[in-house]
Amino acid sequence: MIVAIDGPAGAGKSSVARALADELGFAFLDTGAMYRCVTLACLRSGVALDDPEKSLSVANTCHIELGVDSVKLNGEDVSQVIRQPEVSQSIKPIAAHPGIRALMVERQRRICAQGDYVTEGRDQGTVAFPMAECKIFLTASPGERARRRVEQLIRGGVQADYQTILAQQNERDANDSNRTIGPLRAAADAIFVSTDGMSEQQVLEQLLSIVQSKRGMR
Ligand code: C5P
């Protein structure tokens, strides 16, 4: 079974998708990490991110391993590096590249063919797994997402300003929603879950009950 979870940045998808996979005994696929790895590989090799041929060639040759607790790029653990602002702010042309998206989607399908998966991203229910039995669009209001992000950064000892975070988040939302291929969009048959005012545990329980009801319909 594939559970496809899509939604904007900061909706809490990653942590709840991971927890859901654990509860269900499914594997977890973080597709954002794949785009982050390709971006990092381009930055490191000095390839211009907006050079379509060279960036595709980097994507074709880079070896990405998505483990339970680690992300490896050509054998090196890059779990922390790919989350750095330099990478997040450089992803746009990579995520908008049709050839790179096709390659990533093909890899995602190959990985998920191996068993039961909770997969998380922007285009999982629409493009990667249109036949998934369970599709969830996880969202929260922009203000709530930015507030959570500020809290998270401050907990990690990083100074953060709400207005700056909100502006960066709005820009990422616009980039993700406006690209032609694989934009951030809910599938027509996705179930919307708005996490405003909900704890992570409450969100997890709601997702579990959605998956269980879909399983009951099999
Ligand atoms: O989910 P995460 O924030 O790690 O994703 C990083 C970026 O990768 C997103 O902002 C988006 O541009 C891109 N992405 C994508 N398609 C996916 C997953 C992520 O374009 N399926």
Side-chain angles (χ1 to χ4, degrees):
M1 182 182 197
I2 301 284
V3 178
I5 303 182
D6 293 304
K13 290 190 307 294
S14 269
S15 41
V16 83
R18 254 173 226 281
L20 180 67
D22 275 355
E23 284 285 334
L24 294 168
F26 287 16
F28 169 65
L29 180 65
D30 172 3
T31 63
M34 300 172 86
Y35 292 92
R36 289 177 179 276
C37 279
V38 175
T39 306
L40 179 65
C42 287
L43 288 170
R44 283 184 167 176
S45 55
V47 163
L49 294 151
D50 57 358
D51 181 327
E53 279 164 28
K54 288 193 180 144
S55 60
L56 179 59
S57 154
V58 168
N60 259 311
T61 49
C62 71
H63 183 61
I64 302 168
E65 288 168 83
L66 302 169
V68 179
D69 292 317
S70 72
V71 178
K72 287 188 179 167
L73 172 63
N74 300 326
E76 177 194 340
D77 188 339
V78 293
S79 321
Q80 306 295 324
V81 192
I82 57 166
R83 310 275 159 210
Q84 285 179 358
E86 193 193 356
V87 174
S88 308
Q89 283 154 20
S90 306
I91 287 182
K92 183 182 173 187
I94 299 299
H97 188 307
I100 295 178
R101 292 206 75 84
L103 189 66
M104 295 301 119
V105 166
E106 186 197 307
R107 287 186 189 173
Q108 290 155 16
R109 289 181 181 153
R110 220 180 312 132
I111 293 169
C112 291
Q114 294 164 13
D116 293 321
Y117 266 84
V118 174
T119 172
E120 178 251 308
R122 306 292 188 284
D123 59 346
Q124 298 300 285
T126 49
V127 178
F129 302 103
M131 305 307 281
E133 289 166 270
C134 184
K135 300 180 188 176
I136 294 164
F137 195 80
L138 199 69
T139 188
S141 64
E144 171 109 3
R145 289 189 280 132
R147 193 185 52 71
R148 287 184 196 155
R149 179 74 184 137
V150 170
E151 275 177 11
Q152 190 186 37
L153 287 167
I154 290 174
R155 267 202 310 273
V158 179
Q159 277 303 314
D161 162 62
Y162 173 81
Q163 290 302 337
T164 310
I165 296 292
L166 183 63
Q168 287 171 352
Q169 181 186 279
N170 288 342
E171 191 184 335
R172 270 181 84 187
D173 286 354
N175 290 342
D176 281 341
S177 305
N178 295 333
R179 67 173 162 256
T180 324
I181 315 280
L184 167 64
R185 199 144 298 164
D189 52 348
I191 296 173
F192 269 76
V193 175
S194 168
T195 67
D196 276 23
M198 286 169 82
S199 69
E200 202 176 304
Q201 184 60 29
Q202 287 170 322
V203 180
L204 175 61
E205 281 164 18
Q206 187 165 347
L207 298 198
L208 270 171
S209 93
I210 292 170
V211 177
Q212 302 303 9
S213 72
K214 291 281 178 188
R215 275 177 145 178
M217 285 158 57
R218 287 172 122 185

